Amino acid sequence: QVQLQVSGPGLVRPSQTLSLTCTLSGGSISSAGYYWSWIRQYPGKGLEWIGYIYYSGKPNYSQSLKSRATISVDTSKNQFSLKLTSVTAADTAVYFCARGYYDRWNTEPTDSGMDVWGQGTTVTVSS
Amino acid sequence: DIVLTQSPGTLSLSPGERATLSCRASQSGNDNYLAWYQQKPGQAPRLLIYGASTRATGIPDRFSGSGSGTDFTLTISRLEPEDSAVYYCQQYDNSHRALSFGGGTKVEIK
């Protein structure tokens, strides 16, 4: 059974870098046909897409977070990661990772949505 | 980027009734790339519908999706108490290589 597990500190100081890792079990992160994504959710609010990466490609980011976010893949650990620099209280949210389906020929997500999600982790930015 | 607008914000219905949720895109994206998710409190979203109208694995047939272009609908034909949740639509904008989510519709069961 394919599962994603998010890990990382629950508290980050303002202006510091938020670092989260999503570990895949029951599959390989370098499998063709999948992309790996980060999504966040403000308390009591909707979902915000942060970015996605195909294991051998360049990441793509939300315009609003492009200057601060970095997504990378570590195939040796079967993980992908998110780093968000210069955090403020506005980055306090639940962070999810998810798997989606990727079209290698057109190098973009397919219309199959994101079918596996990690449990989410709450990150609070506070001094 | 494509902006997805969901309506209504909240839907309050009784068990057995039909729920109709709308998702409108600011511009047409990739053909029928439109997915619907269900999220219950304290849980991660669950994929319900992809490709605008295909049910994901294990999703009951009372959930159905329709639409194309910029107007999409999620219908729950006969509401069950466990359908109480927030429902989100999601699309991919290939011109900007960006995903986006709608603001969500909360379905309350009376």
Side-chain angles (χ1 to χ4, degrees), chain A residues 41 45-47 49 52 60 96 107-114 117-118, chain B residues 1 30 33 37 39 43-45 47 50-51 88 90 92 94 97-99 101:
Chain A
Q41 185 167 37
K45 301 293 184 184
L47 301 166
W49 172 70
Y52 74 81
N60 290 276
F96 295 99
T107 63
E108 63 181 12
T110 72
D111 67 352
S112 299
M114 291 178 277
W117 290 66
Chain B
D1 293 357
N30 272 31
Y33 187 118
Y37 299 84
Q39 187 181 33
Q43 296 183 17
L47 178 65
Y50 62 89
Y88 295 95
Q90 178 248 314
Y92 173 68
N94 64 344
R97 294 190 173 272
L99 303 173
F101 289 93

PDB file of all heavy atoms in Angstrom, chain A residues 41 45-47 49 52 60 96 107-114 117-118, chain B residues 1 30 33 37 39 43-45 47 50-51 88 90 92 94 97-99 101:
ATOM      1  N   GLN A  41      -2.608  24.380   3.836  1.00  0.00           N
ATOM      2  CA  GLN A  41      -3.968  24.792   4.199  1.00  0.00           C
ATOM      3  C   GLN A  41      -3.896  25.656   5.443  1.00  0.00           C
ATOM      4  O   GLN A  41      -3.469  25.186   6.508  1.00  0.00           O
ATOM      5  CB  GLN A  41      -4.844  23.561   4.446  1.00  0.00           C
ATOM      6  CG  GLN A  41      -6.300  23.874   4.704  1.00  0.00           C
ATOM      7  CD  GLN A  41      -7.165  22.626   4.633  1.00  0.00           C
ATOM      8  OE1 GLN A  41      -6.762  21.542   5.044  1.00  0.00           O
ATOM      9  NE2 GLN A  41      -8.369  22.771   4.099  1.00  0.00           N
ATOM     10  N   LYS A  45      -9.217  27.258   6.529  1.00  0.00           N
ATOM     11  CA  LYS A  45      -9.349  27.801   5.169  1.00  0.00           C
ATOM     12  C   LYS A  45      -9.142  26.726   4.117  1.00  0.00           C
ATOM     13  O   LYS A  45      -9.023  25.530   4.423  1.00  0.00           O
ATOM     14  CB  LYS A  45      -8.304  28.926   4.966  1.00  0.00           C
ATOM     15  CG  LYS A  45      -8.432  30.059   5.939  1.00  0.00           C
ATOM     16  CD  LYS A  45      -9.715  30.834   5.747  1.00  0.00           C
ATOM     17  CE  LYS A  45      -9.767  32.029   6.685  1.00  0.00           C
ATOM     18  NZ  LYS A  45     -11.052  32.758   6.581  1.00  0.00           N
ATOM     19  N   GLY A  46      -9.090  27.183   2.863  1.00  0.00           N
ATOM     20  CA  GLY A  46      -8.962  26.266   1.741  1.00  0.00           C
ATOM     21  C   GLY A  46      -7.533  25.820   1.478  1.00  0.00           C
ATOM     22  O   GLY A  46      -6.613  26.113   2.230  1.00  0.00           O
ATOM     23  N   LEU A  47      -7.367  25.105   0.375  1.00  0.00           N
ATOM     24  CA  LEU A  47      -6.096  24.510  -0.005  1.00  0.00           C
ATOM     25  C   LEU A  47      -5.325  25.447  -0.930  1.00  0.00           C
ATOM     26  O   LEU A  47      -5.905  26.066  -1.830  1.00  0.00           O
ATOM     27  CB  LEU A  47      -6.341  23.175  -0.719  1.00  0.00           C
ATOM     28  CG  LEU A  47      -7.108  22.132   0.094  1.00  0.00           C
ATOM     29  CD1 LEU A  47      -7.584  21.006  -0.815  1.00  0.00           C
ATOM     30  CD2 LEU A  47      -6.235  21.589   1.204  1.00  0.00           C
ATOM     31  N   TRP A  49      -1.952  25.305  -3.460  1.00  0.00           N
ATOM     32  CA  TRP A  49      -0.891  24.520  -4.077  1.00  0.00           C
ATOM     33  C   TRP A  49       0.423  25.280  -3.968  1.00  0.00           C
ATOM     34  O   TRP A  49       0.484  26.477  -4.234  1.00  0.00           O
ATOM     35  CB  TRP A  49      -1.245  24.255  -5.532  1.00  0.00           C
ATOM     36  CG  TRP A  49      -0.130  23.619  -6.299  1.00  0.00           C
ATOM     37  CD1 TRP A  49       0.334  22.341  -6.153  1.00  0.00           C
ATOM     38  CD2 TRP A  49       0.660  24.235  -7.309  1.00  0.00           C
ATOM     39  NE1 TRP A  49       1.378  22.138  -7.026  1.00  0.00           N
ATOM     40  CE2 TRP A  49       1.595  23.265  -7.746  1.00  0.00           C
ATOM     41  CE3 TRP A  49       0.676  25.495  -7.899  1.00  0.00           C
ATOM     42  CZ2 TRP A  49       2.540  23.527  -8.748  1.00  0.00           C
ATOM     43  CZ3 TRP A  49       1.604  25.757  -8.890  1.00  0.00           C
ATOM     44  CH2 TRP A  49       2.528  24.794  -9.304  1.00  0.00           C
ATOM     45  N   TYR A  52       5.198  21.348  -7.497  1.00  0.00           N
ATOM     46  CA  TYR A  52       5.327  19.909  -7.752  1.00  0.00           C
ATOM     47  C   TYR A  52       6.642  19.641  -8.462  1.00  0.00           C
ATOM     48  O   TYR A  52       7.266  20.534  -9.047  1.00  0.00           O
ATOM     49  CB  TYR A  52       4.152  19.369  -8.568  1.00  0.00           C
ATOM     50  CG  TYR A  52       4.134  19.736 -10.043  1.00  0.00           C
ATOM     51  CD1 TYR A  52       4.900  19.034 -10.976  1.00  0.00           C
ATOM     52  CD2 TYR A  52       3.319  20.759 -10.501  1.00  0.00           C
ATOM     53  CE1 TYR A  52       4.869  19.373 -12.327  1.00  0.00           C
ATOM     54  CE2 TYR A  52       3.276  21.096 -11.845  1.00  0.00           C
ATOM     55  CZ  TYR A  52       4.053  20.405 -12.749  1.00  0.00           C
ATOM     56  OH  TYR A  52       4.023  20.742 -14.077  1.00  0.00           O
ATOM     57  N   ASN A  60       8.075  22.920 -10.435  1.00  0.00           N
ATOM     58  CA  ASN A  60       7.216  24.034 -10.816  1.00  0.00           C
ATOM     59  C   ASN A  60       6.531  24.560  -9.561  1.00  0.00           C
ATOM     60  O   ASN A  60       6.107  23.771  -8.718  1.00  0.00           O
ATOM     61  CB  ASN A  60       6.162  23.605 -11.839  1.00  0.00           C
ATOM     62  CG  ASN A  60       6.784  23.302 -13.177  1.00  0.00           C
ATOM     63  OD1 ASN A  60       7.018  24.201 -13.978  1.00  0.00           O
ATOM     64  ND2 ASN A  60       7.077  22.046 -13.427  1.00  0.00           N
ATOM     65  N   PHE A  96       0.662  19.528   3.439  1.00  0.00           N
ATOM     66  CA  PHE A  96       0.420  18.184   2.916  1.00  0.00           C
ATOM     67  C   PHE A  96       1.383  17.900   1.767  1.00  0.00           C
ATOM     68  O   PHE A  96       1.751  18.802   1.017  1.00  0.00           O
ATOM     69  CB  PHE A  96      -0.999  18.062   2.350  1.00  0.00           C
ATOM     70  CG  PHE A  96      -2.110  18.206   3.344  1.00  0.00           C
ATOM     71  CD1 PHE A  96      -2.787  19.407   3.484  1.00  0.00           C
ATOM     72  CD2 PHE A  96      -2.520  17.122   4.108  1.00  0.00           C
ATOM     73  CE1 PHE A  96      -3.834  19.544   4.380  1.00  0.00           C
ATOM     74  CE2 PHE A  96      -3.565  17.243   5.014  1.00  0.00           C
ATOM     75  CZ  PHE A  96      -4.222  18.462   5.143  1.00  0.00           C
ATOM     76  N   THR A 107       5.531  16.119 -20.533  1.00  0.00           N
ATOM     77  CA  THR A 107       6.180  16.655 -19.325  1.00  0.00           C
ATOM     78  C   THR A 107       5.241  17.551 -18.523  1.00  0.00           C
ATOM     79  O   THR A 107       5.533  18.725 -18.234  1.00  0.00           O
ATOM     80  CB  THR A 107       7.472  17.423 -19.675  1.00  0.00           C
ATOM     81  OG1 THR A 107       7.154  18.565 -20.486  1.00  0.00           O
ATOM     82  CG2 THR A 107       8.460  16.524 -20.374  1.00  0.00           C
ATOM     83  N   GLU A 108       4.096  16.996 -18.169  1.00  0.00           N
ATOM     84  CA  GLU A 108       3.146  17.751 -17.346  1.00  0.00           C
ATOM     85  C   GLU A 108       2.191  16.783 -16.638  1.00  0.00           C
ATOM     86  O   GLU A 108       2.101  15.614 -17.016  1.00  0.00           O
ATOM     87  CB  GLU A 108       2.339  18.725 -18.208  1.00  0.00           C
ATOM     88  CG  GLU A 108       1.476  18.047 -19.247  1.00  0.00           C
ATOM     89  CD  GLU A 108       0.718  19.045 -20.099  1.00  0.00           C
ATOM     90  OE1 GLU A 108       1.040  20.250 -20.036  1.00  0.00           O
ATOM     91  OE2 GLU A 108      -0.201  18.624 -20.817  1.00  0.00           O
ATOM     92  N   PRO A 109       1.504  17.267 -15.590  1.00  0.00           N
ATOM     93  CA  PRO A 109       0.520  16.420 -14.915  1.00  0.00           C
ATOM     94  C   PRO A 109      -0.577  15.957 -15.865  1.00  0.00           C
ATOM     95  O   PRO A 109      -0.972  16.694 -16.790  1.00  0.00           O
ATOM     96  CB  PRO A 109      -0.050  17.337 -13.830  1.00  0.00           C
ATOM     97  CG  PRO A 109       1.035  18.325 -13.553  1.00  0.00           C
ATOM     98  CD  PRO A 109       1.675  18.554 -14.874  1.00  0.00           C
ATOM     99  N   THR A 110      -1.075  14.761 -15.638  1.00  0.00           N
ATOM    100  CA  THR A 110      -2.237  14.283 -16.382  1.00  0.00           C
ATOM    101  C   THR A 110      -3.500  14.749 -15.658  1.00  0.00           C
ATOM    102  O   THR A 110      -3.428  15.390 -14.606  1.00  0.00           O
ATOM    103  CB  THR A 110      -2.252  12.754 -16.478  1.00  0.00           C
ATOM    104  OG1 THR A 110      -2.576  12.220 -15.176  1.00  0.00           O
ATOM    105  CG2 THR A 110      -0.914  12.215 -16.937  1.00  0.00           C
ATOM    106  N   ASP A 111      -4.635  14.349 -16.206  1.00  0.00           N
ATOM    107  CA  ASP A 111      -5.910  14.767 -15.607  1.00  0.00           C
ATOM    108  C   ASP A 111      -6.389  13.807 -14.518  1.00  0.00           C
ATOM    109  O   ASP A 111      -7.549  13.837 -14.134  1.00  0.00           O
ATOM    110  CB  ASP A 111      -6.983  14.906 -16.687  1.00  0.00           C
ATOM    111  CG  ASP A 111      -7.360  13.563 -17.312  1.00  0.00           C
ATOM    112  OD1 ASP A 111      -6.680  12.554 -17.015  1.00  0.00           O
ATOM    113  OD2 ASP A 111      -8.333  13.536 -18.078  1.00  0.00           O
ATOM    114  N   SER A 112      -5.482  12.988 -14.001  1.00  0.00           N
ATOM    115  CA  SER A 112      -5.897  11.959 -13.045  1.00  0.00           C
ATOM    116  C   SER A 112      -5.859  12.417 -11.593  1.00  0.00           C
ATOM    117  O   SER A 112      -6.108  11.622 -10.697  1.00  0.00           O
ATOM    118  CB  SER A 112      -5.024  10.714 -13.211  1.00  0.00           C
ATOM    119  OG  SER A 112      -5.180  10.191 -14.514  1.00  0.00           O
ATOM    120  N   GLY A 113      -5.562  13.685 -11.356  1.00  0.00           N
ATOM    121  CA  GLY A 113      -5.631  14.212 -10.001  1.00  0.00           C
ATOM    122  C   GLY A 113      -4.525  13.697  -9.108  1.00  0.00           C
ATOM    123  O   GLY A 113      -3.571  13.064  -9.555  1.00  0.00           O
ATOM    124  N   MET A 114      -4.662  13.983  -7.807  1.00  0.00           N
ATOM    125  CA  MET A 114      -3.697  13.532  -6.806  1.00  0.00           C
ATOM    126  C   MET A 114      -4.386  12.518  -5.900  1.00  0.00           C
ATOM    127  O   MET A 114      -5.311  12.872  -5.158  1.00  0.00           O
ATOM    128  CB  MET A 114      -3.181  14.738  -6.006  1.00  0.00           C
ATOM    129  CG  MET A 114      -2.314  15.646  -6.856  1.00  0.00           C
ATOM    130  SD  MET A 114      -1.714  17.119  -5.985  1.00  0.00           S
ATOM    131  CE  MET A 114      -3.142  18.191  -6.155  1.00  0.00           C
ATOM    132  N   TRP A 117      -2.230  11.041  -0.478  1.00  0.00           N
ATOM    133  CA  TRP A 117      -1.862  12.227   0.304  1.00  0.00           C
ATOM    134  C   TRP A 117      -1.218  11.799   1.623  1.00  0.00           C
ATOM    135  O   TRP A 117      -1.617  10.793   2.218  1.00  0.00           O
ATOM    136  CB  TRP A 117      -3.110  13.057   0.624  1.00  0.00           C
ATOM    137  CG  TRP A 117      -3.720  13.740  -0.558  1.00  0.00           C
ATOM    138  CD1 TRP A 117      -4.313  13.142  -1.641  1.00  0.00           C
ATOM    139  CD2 TRP A 117      -3.824  15.142  -0.777  1.00  0.00           C
ATOM    140  NE1 TRP A 117      -4.767  14.098  -2.528  1.00  0.00           N
ATOM    141  CE2 TRP A 117      -4.487  15.341  -2.015  1.00  0.00           C
ATOM    142  CE3 TRP A 117      -3.427  16.267  -0.040  1.00  0.00           C
ATOM    143  CZ2 TRP A 117      -4.753  16.622  -2.540  1.00  0.00           C
ATOM    144  CZ3 TRP A 117      -3.703  17.537  -0.548  1.00  0.00           C
ATOM    145  CH2 TRP A 117      -4.346  17.698  -1.790  1.00  0.00           C
ATOM    146  N   GLY A 118      -0.257  12.567   2.058  1.00  0.00           N
ATOM    147  CA  GLY A 118       0.266  12.394   3.402  1.00  0.00           C
ATOM    148  C   GLY A 118      -0.735  12.943   4.407  1.00  0.00           C
ATOM    149  O   GLY A 118      -1.695  13.623   4.048  1.00  0.00           O
TER     150      GLY A 118
ATOM    151  N   ASP B   1      -2.623  32.770 -13.762  1.00  0.00           N
ATOM    152  CA  ASP B   1      -3.059  31.445 -13.355  1.00  0.00           C
ATOM    153  C   ASP B   1      -4.583  31.349 -13.402  1.00  0.00           C
ATOM    154  O   ASP B   1      -5.280  32.347 -13.259  1.00  0.00           O
ATOM    155  CB  ASP B   1      -2.596  31.120 -11.930  1.00  0.00           C
ATOM    156  CG  ASP B   1      -1.090  30.992 -11.825  1.00  0.00           C
ATOM    157  OD1 ASP B   1      -0.423  31.104 -12.877  1.00  0.00           O
ATOM    158  OD2 ASP B   1      -0.599  30.794 -10.705  1.00  0.00           O
ATOM    159  N   ASN B  30      -6.680  22.659 -19.421  1.00  0.00           N
ATOM    160  CA  ASN B  30      -6.409  21.462 -20.207  1.00  0.00           C
ATOM    161  C   ASN B  30      -7.658  20.623 -20.386  1.00  0.00           C
ATOM    162  O   ASN B  30      -7.988  19.810 -19.538  1.00  0.00           O
ATOM    163  CB  ASN B  30      -5.374  20.607 -19.472  1.00  0.00           C
ATOM    164  CG  ASN B  30      -3.981  20.979 -19.820  1.00  0.00           C
ATOM    165  OD1 ASN B  30      -3.720  22.131 -20.117  1.00  0.00           O
ATOM    166  ND2 ASN B  30      -3.070  20.016 -19.778  1.00  0.00           N
ATOM    167  N   TYR B  33      -9.317  18.565 -17.628  1.00  0.00           N
ATOM    168  CA  TYR B  33      -8.538  18.377 -16.410  1.00  0.00           C
ATOM    169  C   TYR B  33      -9.240  19.104 -15.288  1.00  0.00           C
ATOM    170  O   TYR B  33      -9.032  20.303 -15.068  1.00  0.00           O
ATOM    171  CB  TYR B  33      -7.114  18.911 -16.556  1.00  0.00           C
ATOM    172  CG  TYR B  33      -6.252  18.565 -15.360  1.00  0.00           C
ATOM    173  CD1 TYR B  33      -5.121  17.778 -15.487  1.00  0.00           C
ATOM    174  CD2 TYR B  33      -6.601  18.990 -14.076  1.00  0.00           C
ATOM    175  CE1 TYR B  33      -4.347  17.429 -14.392  1.00  0.00           C
ATOM    176  CE2 TYR B  33      -5.846  18.641 -12.975  1.00  0.00           C
ATOM    177  CZ  TYR B  33      -4.714  17.865 -13.139  1.00  0.00           C
ATOM    178  OH  TYR B  33      -3.965  17.526 -12.048  1.00  0.00           O
ATOM    179  N   TYR B  37     -12.197  16.845  -4.790  1.00  0.00           N
ATOM    180  CA  TYR B  37     -11.719  16.211  -3.570  1.00  0.00           C
ATOM    181  C   TYR B  37     -12.721  16.443  -2.450  1.00  0.00           C
ATOM    182  O   TYR B  37     -13.410  17.470  -2.400  1.00  0.00           O
ATOM    183  CB  TYR B  37     -10.368  16.803  -3.144  1.00  0.00           C
ATOM    184  CG  TYR B  37      -9.274  16.624  -4.156  1.00  0.00           C
ATOM    185  CD1 TYR B  37      -9.129  17.524  -5.209  1.00  0.00           C
ATOM    186  CD2 TYR B  37      -8.397  15.552  -4.087  1.00  0.00           C
ATOM    187  CE1 TYR B  37      -8.134  17.355  -6.153  1.00  0.00           C
ATOM    188  CE2 TYR B  37      -7.396  15.374  -5.023  1.00  0.00           C
ATOM    189  CZ  TYR B  37      -7.279  16.280  -6.057  1.00  0.00           C
ATOM    190  OH  TYR B  37      -6.298  16.110  -6.996  1.00  0.00           O
ATOM    191  N   GLN B  39     -12.857  16.636   1.765  1.00  0.00           N
ATOM    192  CA  GLN B  39     -12.025  16.733   2.952  1.00  0.00           C
ATOM    193  C   GLN B  39     -12.897  16.822   4.203  1.00  0.00           C
ATOM    194  O   GLN B  39     -13.760  17.696   4.306  1.00  0.00           O
ATOM    195  CB  GLN B  39     -11.098  17.953   2.898  1.00  0.00           C
ATOM    196  CG  GLN B  39     -10.109  17.982   4.059  1.00  0.00           C
ATOM    197  CD  GLN B  39      -9.184  19.181   4.049  1.00  0.00           C
ATOM    198  OE1 GLN B  39      -9.558  20.264   3.623  1.00  0.00           O
ATOM    199  NE2 GLN B  39      -7.952  18.985   4.526  1.00  0.00           N
ATOM    200  N   GLN B  43      -8.532  15.608   8.407  1.00  0.00           N
ATOM    201  CA  GLN B  43      -8.049  14.613   7.448  1.00  0.00           C
ATOM    202  C   GLN B  43      -7.467  15.293   6.215  1.00  0.00           C
ATOM    203  O   GLN B  43      -7.745  16.453   5.923  1.00  0.00           O
ATOM    204  CB  GLN B  43      -9.187  13.685   7.021  1.00  0.00           C
ATOM    205  CG  GLN B  43      -9.764  12.844   8.149  1.00  0.00           C
ATOM    206  CD  GLN B  43     -10.835  11.887   7.639  1.00  0.00           C
ATOM    207  OE1 GLN B  43     -10.946  11.624   6.435  1.00  0.00           O
ATOM    208  NE2 GLN B  43     -11.621  11.349   8.561  1.00  0.00           N
ATOM    209  N   ALA B  44      -6.677  14.531   5.484  1.00  0.00           N
ATOM    210  CA  ALA B  44      -6.193  14.990   4.186  1.00  0.00           C
ATOM    211  C   ALA B  44      -7.327  14.890   3.165  1.00  0.00           C
ATOM    212  O   ALA B  44      -8.270  14.112   3.348  1.00  0.00           O
ATOM    213  CB  ALA B  44      -5.017  14.132   3.733  1.00  0.00           C
ATOM    214  N   PRO B  45      -7.267  15.676   2.115  1.00  0.00           N
ATOM    215  CA  PRO B  45      -8.269  15.536   1.057  1.00  0.00           C
ATOM    216  C   PRO B  45      -8.231  14.134   0.443  1.00  0.00           C
ATOM    217  O   PRO B  45      -7.190  13.478   0.436  1.00  0.00           O
ATOM    218  CB  PRO B  45      -7.833  16.591   0.025  1.00  0.00           C
ATOM    219  CG  PRO B  45      -7.082  17.598   0.821  1.00  0.00           C
ATOM    220  CD  PRO B  45      -6.351  16.792   1.863  1.00  0.00           C
ATOM    221  N   LEU B  47      -9.321  12.065  -3.129  1.00  0.00           N
ATOM    222  CA  LEU B  47      -9.708  12.230  -4.527  1.00  0.00           C
ATOM    223  C   LEU B  47     -11.032  11.522  -4.787  1.00  0.00           C
ATOM    224  O   LEU B  47     -11.175  10.333  -4.507  1.00  0.00           O
ATOM    225  CB  LEU B  47      -8.611  11.656  -5.439  1.00  0.00           C
ATOM    226  CG  LEU B  47      -8.875  11.703  -6.937  1.00  0.00           C
ATOM    227  CD1 LEU B  47      -8.935  13.140  -7.436  1.00  0.00           C
ATOM    228  CD2 LEU B  47      -7.788  10.917  -7.697  1.00  0.00           C
ATOM    229  N   TYR B  50     -11.805  12.550 -11.208  1.00  0.00           N
ATOM    230  CA  TYR B  50     -10.757  13.134 -12.031  1.00  0.00           C
ATOM    231  C   TYR B  50     -11.212  13.120 -13.481  1.00  0.00           C
ATOM    232  O   TYR B  50     -12.198  12.459 -13.835  1.00  0.00           O
ATOM    233  CB  TYR B  50      -9.421  12.397 -11.852  1.00  0.00           C
ATOM    234  CG  TYR B  50      -9.437  10.939 -12.267  1.00  0.00           C
ATOM    235  CD1 TYR B  50      -9.149  10.558 -13.579  1.00  0.00           C
ATOM    236  CD2 TYR B  50      -9.740   9.941 -11.343  1.00  0.00           C
ATOM    237  CE1 TYR B  50      -9.166   9.235 -13.958  1.00  0.00           C
ATOM    238  CE2 TYR B  50      -9.758   8.609 -11.716  1.00  0.00           C
ATOM    239  CZ  TYR B  50      -9.466   8.262 -13.028  1.00  0.00           C
ATOM    240  OH  TYR B  50      -9.485   6.944 -13.402  1.00  0.00           O
ATOM    241  N   GLY B  51     -10.495  13.885 -14.304  1.00  0.00           N
ATOM    242  CA  GLY B  51     -10.897  13.983 -15.696  1.00  0.00           C
ATOM    243  C   GLY B  51     -12.321  14.493 -15.841  1.00  0.00           C
ATOM    244  O   GLY B  51     -13.032  14.126 -16.766  1.00  0.00           O
ATOM    245  N   TYR B  88     -13.557  20.334  -2.716  1.00  0.00           N
ATOM    246  CA  TYR B  88     -12.715  21.239  -3.482  1.00  0.00           C
ATOM    247  C   TYR B  88     -12.575  20.758  -4.924  1.00  0.00           C
ATOM    248  O   TYR B  88     -12.446  19.557  -5.172  1.00  0.00           O
ATOM    249  CB  TYR B  88     -11.304  21.310  -2.888  1.00  0.00           C
ATOM    250  CG  TYR B  88     -11.232  21.894  -1.504  1.00  0.00           C
ATOM    251  CD1 TYR B  88     -11.232  21.081  -0.376  1.00  0.00           C
ATOM    252  CD2 TYR B  88     -11.151  23.277  -1.314  1.00  0.00           C
ATOM    253  CE1 TYR B  88     -11.160  21.613   0.902  1.00  0.00           C
ATOM    254  CE2 TYR B  88     -11.078  23.822  -0.040  1.00  0.00           C
ATOM    255  CZ  TYR B  88     -11.086  22.990   1.056  1.00  0.00           C
ATOM    256  OH  TYR B  88     -11.016  23.529   2.326  1.00  0.00           O
ATOM    257  N   GLN B  90     -10.145  21.228  -8.445  1.00  0.00           N
ATOM    258  CA  GLN B  90      -8.731  21.488  -8.719  1.00  0.00           C
ATOM    259  C   GLN B  90      -8.474  21.338 -10.211  1.00  0.00           C
ATOM    260  O   GLN B  90      -9.010  20.434 -10.853  1.00  0.00           O
ATOM    261  CB  GLN B  90      -7.860  20.523  -7.929  1.00  0.00           C
ATOM    262  CG  GLN B  90      -6.360  20.653  -8.173  1.00  0.00           C
ATOM    263  CD  GLN B  90      -5.785  19.458  -8.895  1.00  0.00           C
ATOM    264  OE1 GLN B  90      -6.064  18.311  -8.563  1.00  0.00           O
ATOM    265  NE2 GLN B  90      -4.957  19.703  -9.890  1.00  0.00           N
ATOM    266  N   TYR B  92      -5.424  22.077 -13.632  1.00  0.00           N
ATOM    267  CA  TYR B  92      -4.040  22.310 -14.045  1.00  0.00           C
ATOM    268  C   TYR B  92      -4.044  23.291 -15.201  1.00  0.00           C
ATOM    269  O   TYR B  92      -4.789  23.130 -16.169  1.00  0.00           O
ATOM    270  CB  TYR B  92      -3.387  20.994 -14.473  1.00  0.00           C
ATOM    271  CG  TYR B  92      -2.019  21.173 -15.072  1.00  0.00           C
ATOM    272  CD1 TYR B  92      -0.950  21.603 -14.287  1.00  0.00           C
ATOM    273  CD2 TYR B  92      -1.790  20.925 -16.420  1.00  0.00           C
ATOM    274  CE1 TYR B  92       0.302  21.779 -14.830  1.00  0.00           C
ATOM    275  CE2 TYR B  92      -0.532  21.098 -16.968  1.00  0.00           C
ATOM    276  CZ  TYR B  92       0.515  21.529 -16.170  1.00  0.00           C
ATOM    277  OH  TYR B  92       1.752  21.702 -16.720  1.00  0.00           O
ATOM    278  N   ASN B  94      -1.829  24.477 -18.064  1.00  0.00           N
ATOM    279  CA  ASN B  94      -0.594  24.069 -18.743  1.00  0.00           C
ATOM    280  C   ASN B  94       0.219  25.246 -19.272  1.00  0.00           C
ATOM    281  O   ASN B  94       1.418  25.106 -19.507  1.00  0.00           O
ATOM    282  CB  ASN B  94      -0.883  23.070 -19.865  1.00  0.00           C
ATOM    283  CG  ASN B  94      -1.708  23.656 -20.977  1.00  0.00           C
ATOM    284  OD1 ASN B  94      -2.334  24.704 -20.821  1.00  0.00           O
ATOM    285  ND2 ASN B  94      -1.724  22.985 -22.113  1.00  0.00           N
ATOM    286  N   ARG B  97       2.037  25.947 -16.106  1.00  0.00           N
ATOM    287  CA  ARG B  97       2.494  24.745 -15.384  1.00  0.00           C
ATOM    288  C   ARG B  97       2.157  24.870 -13.903  1.00  0.00           C
ATOM    289  O   ARG B  97       3.002  24.652 -13.033  1.00  0.00           O
ATOM    290  CB  ARG B  97       3.990  24.526 -15.588  1.00  0.00           C
ATOM    291  CG  ARG B  97       4.332  24.201 -17.030  1.00  0.00           C
ATOM    292  CD  ARG B  97       5.757  23.739 -17.216  1.00  0.00           C
ATOM    293  NE  ARG B  97       5.992  23.297 -18.577  1.00  0.00           N
ATOM    294  CZ  ARG B  97       5.779  22.066 -19.011  1.00  0.00           C
ATOM    295  NH1 ARG B  97       5.327  21.142 -18.193  1.00  0.00           N
ATOM    296  NH2 ARG B  97       6.020  21.747 -20.270  1.00  0.00           N
ATOM    297  N   ALA B  98       0.912  25.225 -13.638  1.00  0.00           N
ATOM    298  CA  ALA B  98       0.485  25.477 -12.263  1.00  0.00           C
ATOM    299  C   ALA B  98      -0.818  24.767 -11.955  1.00  0.00           C
ATOM    300  O   ALA B  98      -1.721  24.692 -12.789  1.00  0.00           O
ATOM    301  CB  ALA B  98       0.313  26.976 -12.031  1.00  0.00           C
ATOM    302  N   LEU B  99      -0.890  24.233 -10.750  1.00  0.00           N
ATOM    303  CA  LEU B  99      -2.144  23.663 -10.258  1.00  0.00           C
ATOM    304  C   LEU B  99      -2.869  24.735  -9.453  1.00  0.00           C
ATOM    305  O   LEU B  99      -2.253  25.685  -8.970  1.00  0.00           O
ATOM    306  CB  LEU B  99      -1.852  22.463  -9.369  1.00  0.00           C
ATOM    307  CG  LEU B  99      -1.032  21.323  -9.980  1.00  0.00           C
ATOM    308  CD1 LEU B  99      -0.688  20.284  -8.927  1.00  0.00           C
ATOM    309  CD2 LEU B  99      -1.778  20.681 -11.123  1.00  0.00           C
ATOM    310  N   PHE B 101      -6.564  25.294  -6.732  1.00  0.00           N
ATOM    311  CA  PHE B 101      -7.741  24.763  -6.062  1.00  0.00           C
ATOM    312  C   PHE B 101      -8.804  25.852  -5.971  1.00  0.00           C
ATOM    313  O   PHE B 101      -8.498  27.041  -5.856  1.00  0.00           O
ATOM    314  CB  PHE B 101      -7.400  24.325  -4.636  1.00  0.00           C
ATOM    315  CG  PHE B 101      -6.559  23.082  -4.551  1.00  0.00           C
ATOM    316  CD1 PHE B 101      -5.183  23.164  -4.486  1.00  0.00           C
ATOM    317  CD2 PHE B 101      -7.151  21.829  -4.518  1.00  0.00           C
ATOM    318  CE1 PHE B 101      -4.401  22.029  -4.397  1.00  0.00           C
ATOM    319  CE2 PHE B 101      -6.386  20.680  -4.429  1.00  0.00           C
ATOM    320  CZ  PHE B 101      -5.006  20.779  -4.369  1.00  0.00           C
TER     321      PHE B 101
END
